[in-house]
Amino acid sequence: MAAENCDIKQGQTVAVFGCGPVGLFAIRSAFLLGAERVIAIDTVPERLALARASGAETLDYTAEDLQERILVITNGLGPDAVRQSGWKAMRRVA
């Protein structure tokens, strides 16, 4: 339902903040709804590994300038949709 609320269209790039159980579900849902790329953002190595195994590109928000890195990997465009699944992740990034 949350992925549907993002109104994901075929070929879009989606950023998912938080890669716990809800975030992993959001990653899978984004792909099922047609996202071409999903950028999964977290700091826990095991969660990032699970996100990668689901097909997402991963970023550790403590290892680099997150905004700059997202712009670089999206050729300056940023994501088409953002899904927050972890309030702690968003609070630390905000």
Side-chain angles (χ1 to χ4, degrees):
M1 169 138 164
E4 288 176 334
N5 289 340
C6 289
D7 194 28
I8 297 168
K9 306 265 190 287
Q10 193 72 29
Q12 288 186 324
T13 298
V14 177
V16 175
F17 282 83
C19 298
V22 174
L24 292 171
F25 186 75
I27 291 166
R28 295 288 198 140
S29 297
F31 281 125
L32 286 171
L33 291 171
E36 182 176 321
R37 296 173 73 188
V38 176
I39 302 166
I41 303 157
D42 205 300
T43 188
V44 179
E46 295 82 4
R47 290 181 175 191
L48 292 169
L50 289 169
R52 269 191 302 281
S54 296
E57 300 170 49
T58 59
L59 296 175
D60 179 339
Y61 62 82
T62 62
E64 52 197 321
D65 181 327
L66 187 59
Q67 181 178 2
E68 181 180 318
R69 185 70 188 132
I70 290 172
L71 289 174
V72 166
I73 66 175
T74 61
N75 297 318
L77 299 174
D80 298 296
V82 176
R83 170 68 177 101
Q84 174 199 350
S85 63
W87 67 271
K88 290 180 183 178
M90 284 298 289
R91 188 175 64 175
R92 288 183 190 143
V93 174

